[in-house]
Amino acid sequence: MPVVTYRDALNQALQEEMQRDDRVFLMGEEVGVYQGAYKVSKGLLQEFGEMRVVDTPITELGFAGVGVGAAMVGLRPIIEFMTWNFALLAMDQVVNSAAKMLYMSGGQFNIPIVFRGPNGAALQLSAQHSQAWESWLAHIPGLKVVAPGTPYDAKGLLKSAVRDDNPVIVLEGEMLYNTKGEVPAEEYLIPIGKAALKREGEHCSIITHGKMILVALQAADQLTKEGIRVDVLDLLSLRPMDVEAITASVRKTNRAVVLEEGWEIGGIGAQVVDYIQRECFDDLDAPIVRVHQVDVPMPYAKNLERAAKPDVPKTIAAVKKVMYLDQ
Amino acid sequence: MATKVVMEALSPTMEEGRLVKWLKSEGDTVAKGDVLAEVETDKAVMELVARADGVLRTRLLDEGQTAPVGQLVGVIGAPNEDIAALIASQPAVASAPGAASAAAPAVAAPAIPAAPAVVAPPPTAESAARPTRLGNAAPKHQEPPLPPPSTEQAQHAQDNGGRPRSSPLARRLASDRGLDLQQLHGSGPGGRIVKRDIEAAVATATAQRPATAATPRREAAGDFADVPLTQLRKTIARRLAESIGPIPTFYLTSEIDLTRTAEMRQAMAAADTRLKVSFNDIILKAVATALARHPEVNAHWLGDRIRQFNRVHIGMAVAIDDGLITPVIFDADTKGLGDIAAESRELAARARDRKLAPEEYTGSTFSVSNLGMFGIDQFTAIINPPEAGIIAVGAVEDKPVVLDGAVTVRKRVRLTMSCDHRVIDGATGARFLQDLRRMLENPLLLVY
């Protein structure tokens, strides 16, 4: 199977979907002539022309709104945000227009739109540019939210997002674009709403999503050396969330660690914990432990940034805590 | 750190225990789990085990004396440790044999099961080594970890309204396995009882049970159906209870021809001596099979509803020196005659030796009592509440009976069923007995 980068997997998805359906077009800052701030749209302007690969001014609210309008009249826009930190300016269009149009038009207007871009922290980008927004976005009825952490998942989920008749948020990662993984040469889709069990074990479930899947798998590898085998469940979709997969894993292991990139209060992990306590109360042998960013704006200093982020040692410590091995 | 040895609640209903025999002397080195003494509870003679390693420093209760649950009866500690303060903290007052029940309440406040928390095993090297335990072996079946100092557990249990702390999973597993959380030690934070503690307790219980013993099972969801009371049923229950005792009992007697059963029994014994079964075994098997077809009889009266069981657990009344006890043959309807024969023999023997574990004499759905061996023709047995019925078995005898217009000699037995009229109506009980009779008179039906 070919090994490609996360960046190229997304590029393949865009290219294939634009070839398949000429209503699909890409719009955003630097997506055309510059070939994408992270080169995700490399070669698309040359193949599809200016009408379908549209460079915009630095106006997130404006081009998000143009995208919603285009979707209302039958096109299938893909809106790239250079990062989700910049997308804060576009939230009104995402939340109030895209997410609600079908409902408020009494079912007249589907909004088949994709909003995509890197989410969360990279390295030393400081407080305003190192934020994970999935709990904001997954909070909104009318949006679907996916967070692929591998090239395979990125391609399959982006293609499903483009084909979905409703607004789908695709959360990528700046630190993920260069990561490599196997991606089949033949076409495939990954259904929105299904989680994937990336590692199987019987002692504890690590439930995570997005780039934290890489942290979870590293933690799982180290724990295996100590004889602790964990389930690593990659949620992939945050809304709708695969509650069945979560409960199946926790019922098996009786313990859960919920790992996410963002902050604690009102985080995605809080929702996962809620599903677990509702569905698996009698299966729990220990309180669930969450691993997340420390409750501060992301520090710029390298040592402080490292201390603030969730990482492998914190995840391992959490697993040992729920297994009562930390006493 | 010295550890108290207390009179533990060794049966679900035990309030005091008589120390039958000390098995360790003062000064003996003991290990956690060693049997210190035999204690007679209200049901059986049970073992009181050490909860810590050390030396049995003192014995505070003489053999034959009785102490309420929770009473200090000994101390385990290091050889030179000062244990005076520990003893002084809880004076060991034991009542004389015979005066037990009168004296017990005065000695200590109702020492109902919060007591195990008083037992305080010290931390040992093993508990310190626990974090690395997983590295050594397949961790799915972990070694049972040591309980933490349970003075802490006691404190937390008090914080928790006297209930031991436990994980939801541990509570569910304990309930499924019929374990009393009060009897377990928690190895989690603050003395929380967690899954591994349940597994350890189950492993211990399994190891202690003789191989031939019955496999007691607790009711799980799906094992029974609760039938709400109709107004008619409520009225029947109230009126009949007003008329005759709290359990309005009536009796149905049926004389059953066991000739063919006797032939079968002889044929089996002739075929192989290992196939020897008693009439009582066959009757137990027939009752179990009939009960499986009549859940309306295989039922408990629960006051606000009737519980009809889908599983058949037969209590078998066994006479012992100073009373009787009813060990249970669980899932008797699914067991073969040979299994029932072996199990009833084994249970009866251990019942007479007073060696039954509490879970072996609780949980029956229906009972059978037999006085035939004493030459009793027929009798009425007293219902064991909340069960709805009991069958009393008389002697199997040769009797002249009229068959096809001629007098012949046949093997006959009289069965009398006591029925709780709140649950079983006359016709209901009669239909059940009819089925039972058909099986006993045509024993090949049992094979089918």
Side-chain angles (χ1 to χ4, degrees):
Chain A
M1 204 183 291
V3 172
V4 303
T5 61
Y6 189 97
R7 171 197 333 275
D8 291 340
L10 289 170
N11 182 267
Q12 287 176 11
L14 292 172
Q15 186 190 24
E16 287 172 21
E17 291 307 298
M18 290 176 78
Q19 285 171 348
R20 186 187 58 81
D21 184 343
D22 62 11
R23 294 172 301 169
V24 177
F25 72 99
L26 176 67
M27 184 161 61
E29 295 155 359
E30 311 278 29
V31 297
V33 176
Y34 190 65
Q35 306 279 288
Y38 299 103
K39 306 303 172 208
V40 170
S41 52
K42 192 173 177 188
L44 298 183
L45 176 65
Q46 286 68 25
E47 181 173 351
F48 299 103
E50 291 182 341
M51 289 297 285
R52 296 184 65 197
V53 181
V54 183
D55 275 324
T56 68
I58 304 175
T59 55
E60 278 80 8
L61 181 66
F63 65 79
V66 170
V68 173
M72 284 177 75
V73 296
L75 299 182
R76 303 182 77 88
I78 300 168
I79 304 298
E80 175 177 312
F81 293 120
M82 198 176 284
T83 105
W84 277 94
N85 292 289
F86 302 164
L88 293 195
L89 291 159
M91 274 306 168
D92 184 56
Q93 283 298 337
V94 174
V95 173
N96 274 332
S97 296
K100 298 197 176 64
M101 191 59 71
L102 181 65
Y103 175 78
M104 296 189 76
S105 70
Q108 295 183 79
F109 291 106
N110 270 100
I111 308 295
I113 194 170
V114 172
F115 296 106
R116 48 160 288 269
N119 176 56
L123 276 180
Q124 286 197 286
L125 294 180
S126 192
Q128 293 168 309
H129 289 174
S130 306
Q131 303 173 98
W133 292 117
E134 54 265 46
S135 66
W136 277 36
L137 294 158
H139 194 56
I140 310 297
L143 295 181
K144 297 181 181 180
V145 182
V146 300
T150 66
Y152 174 82
D153 297 322
K155 182 176 179 185
L157 282 170
L158 178 53
K159 284 169 71 80
S160 290
V162 173
R163 296 184 193 191
D164 201 287
D165 283 336
N166 295 289
V168 181
I169 309 290
V170 180
L171 301 172
E172 303 161 5
E174 189 181 331
M175 304 298 283
L176 291 174
Y177 288 129
N178 264 341
T179 59
K180 289 184 179 165
E182 289 188 337
V183 173
E186 61 276 13
E187 178 167 65
Y188 67 96
L189 295 171
I190 294 177
I192 294 173
K194 286 283 173 206
L197 196 57
K198 295 283 173 76
R199 192 64 59 85
E200 281 202 61
E202 66 273 28
H203 295 132
C204 176
S205 303
I206 301 178
I207 300 163
T208 190
H209 64 272
K211 72 177 70 123
M212 287 298 118
I213 185 68
L214 305 182
V215 171
L217 290 172
Q218 281 179 47
D221 287 342
Q222 294 193 22
L223 287 164
T224 304
K225 289 178 197 151
E226 297 182 44
I228 299 170
R229 291 181 294 277
V230 296
D231 259 9
V232 175
L233 185 69
D234 188 344
L235 292 172
L236 294 179
S237 292
L238 305 179
R239 184 188 185 95
M241 201 181 276
D242 191 348
V243 181
E244 225 167 86
I246 296 170
T247 54
S249 177
V250 175
R251 287 203 176 120
K252 177 178 68 173
T253 63
N254 309 128
R255 301 171 181 86
V257 166
V258 184
L259 166 65
E260 69 186 307
E261 188 181 358
W263 291 298
E264 174 181 20
I265 308 295
I268 290 292
Q271 185 57 43
V272 174
V273 169
D274 176 55
Y275 284 133
I276 295 172
Q277 65 84 18
R278 262 192 271 169
E279 301 293 329
C280 307
F281 183 75
D282 288 317
D283 299 286
L284 284 176
D285 202 31
I288 305 157
V289 172
R290 289 176 60 196
V291 182
H292 45 75
Q293 188 193 321
V294 173
D295 194 20
V296 292
M298 185 66 82
Y300 174 73
K302 210 178 241 174
N303 59 333
L304 295 180
E305 181 180 39
R306 197 177 298 131
K309 284 177 172 177
D311 60 11
V312 173
K314 288 176 187 172
T315 306
I316 289 175
V319 169
K320 290 186 175 174
K321 186 172 173 68
V322 300
M323 293 186 67
Y324 301 118
L325 294 173
D326 63 334
Q327 296 161 41
Chain B
M1 187 177 99
T3 300
K4 294 174 180 176
V5 179
V6 299
M7 181 60 70
E8 297 181 20
L10 299 169
S11 89
T13 52
M14 172 173 167
E15 290 176 6
E16 59 181 24
R18 189 172 68 90
L19 203 140
V20 177
K21 191 172 180 206
W22 279 104
L23 301 176
K24 297 283 180 192
S25 307
E26 288 181 3
D28 280 1
T29 300
V30 298
K32 188 161 104 32
D34 282 359
V35 180
L36 297 175
E38 289 182 349
V39 169
E40 184 182 28
T41 74
D42 52 341
K43 301 279 189 194
V45 176
M46 304 287 288
E47 293 171 343
L48 184 67
V49 302
R51 298 294 182 185
D53 299 331
V55 170
L56 181 61
R57 294 286 308 280
T58 180
R59 307 194 310 200
L60 299 169
L61 193 67
D62 291 337
E63 291 179 359
Q65 282 190 317
T66 298
V69 169
Q71 173 73 47
L72 187 67
V73 299
V75 175
I76 294 172
N80 302 319
E81 201 172 342
D82 181 7
I83 57 171
L86 188 69
I87 296 171
S89 71
Q90 191 187 359
V93 181
S95 58
S101 43
V107 171
I112 325 265
V118 183
V119 184
T124 68
E126 196 184 327
S127 60
R130 196 183 314 135
T132 59
R133 175 162 36 81
L134 279 172
N136 305 330
K140 183 66 183 176
H141 303 289
Q142 300 162 3
E143 283 296 303
L146 276 190
S150 58
T151 42
E152 186 190 3
Q153 183 184 355
Q155 186 54 49
H156 283 275
Q158 278 166 18
D159 296 347
N160 204 24
R163 285 173 292 130
R165 301 220 157 193
S166 52
S167 76
L169 178 69
R171 287 197 287 281
R172 195 191 71 189
L173 293 174
S175 160
D176 288 350
R177 287 160 177 70
L179 295 171
D180 180 2
L181 287 175
Q182 301 275 10
Q183 307 290 331
L184 301 178
H185 289 274
S187 66
R192 183 187 299 144
I193 298 168
V194 297
K195 183 179 170 189
R196 63 187 178 207
D197 302 320
I198 305 286
E199 286 171 344
V202 169
T204 312
T206 312
Q208 284 171 353
R209 185 172 301 132
T212 53
T215 45
R217 289 194 211 137
R218 276 297 169 114
E219 296 148 14
D223 287 351
F224 55 79
D226 282 351
V227 180
L229 301 182
T230 61
Q231 282 308 322
L232 174 65
R233 185 53 49 195
K234 281 184 192 165
T235 308
I236 291 174
R238 184 173 47 79
R239 298 277 299 140
L240 297 174
E242 280 169 9
S243 165
I244 162 173
I247 302 180
T249 313
F250 67 92
Y251 308 96
L252 300 171
T253 301
S254 184
E255 187 172 300
I256 293 174
D257 195 315
L258 286 189
T259 310
R260 292 174 72 180
T261 293
E263 287 165 10
M264 178 182 86
R265 188 170 157 253
Q266 275 178 351
M268 286 171 73
D272 189 333
T273 51
R274 283 172 301 180
L275 294 181
K276 261 190 179 168
V277 296
S278 69
F279 280 116
N280 196 57
D281 297 330
I282 299 171
I283 290 170
L284 285 173
K285 173 67 186 170
V287 169
T289 309
L291 283 172
R293 295 175 194 174
H294 292 269
E296 68 278 10
V297 172
N298 188 37
H300 283 178
W301 172 260
L302 297 181
D304 60 346
R305 61 199 189 282
I306 293 166
R307 175 164 292 177
Q308 297 182 347
F309 291 92
N310 300 323
R311 292 166 67 182
V312 178
H313 308 319
I314 294 194
M316 176 183 79
V318 174
I320 55 182
D321 284 347
D322 47 355
L324 88 157
I325 196 158
T326 313
V328 183
I329 300 179
F330 288 89
D331 292 317
D333 57 324
T334 66
K335 288 178 176 160
L337 251 182
D339 292 338
I340 288 181
E343 206 173 293
S344 65
R345 253 197 313 273
E346 194 273 337
L347 285 171
R350 280 196 298 121
R352 281 188 283 270
D353 295 341
R354 311 199 67 180
K355 295 288 186 197
L356 290 178
E359 63 267 25
E360 291 177 306
Y361 55 78
T362 50
S364 53
T365 59
F366 192 92
S367 295
V368 173
S369 180
N370 189 340
L371 293 178
M373 63 291 258
F374 298 105
I376 299 297
D377 296 327
Q378 75 173 73
F379 67 107
T380 56
I382 294 178
I383 286 174
N384 185 17
E387 290 167 31
I390 183 167
I391 284 187
V393 183
V396 181
E397 285 179 325
D398 289 333
K399 282 190 185 171
V401 296
V402 178
L403 207 70
D404 297 332
V407 176
T408 56
V409 175
R410 308 283 291 183
K411 289 245 183 272
R412 307 283 281 195
V413 68
R414 286 189 170 211
L415 302 190
T416 302
M417 178 158 89
S418 311
C419 308
D420 182 340
H421 208 323
R422 296 171 298 180
V423 180
I424 304 173
D425 295 325
T428 318
R431 274 193 295 271
F432 169 74
L433 271 185
Q434 211 171 25
D435 242 14
L436 180 58
R437 171 192 213 121
R438 206 163 58 88
M439 276 186 257
L440 285 171
E441 296 193 342
N442 306 282
L444 283 179
L445 290 174
L446 292 176
V447 181
Y448 186 74

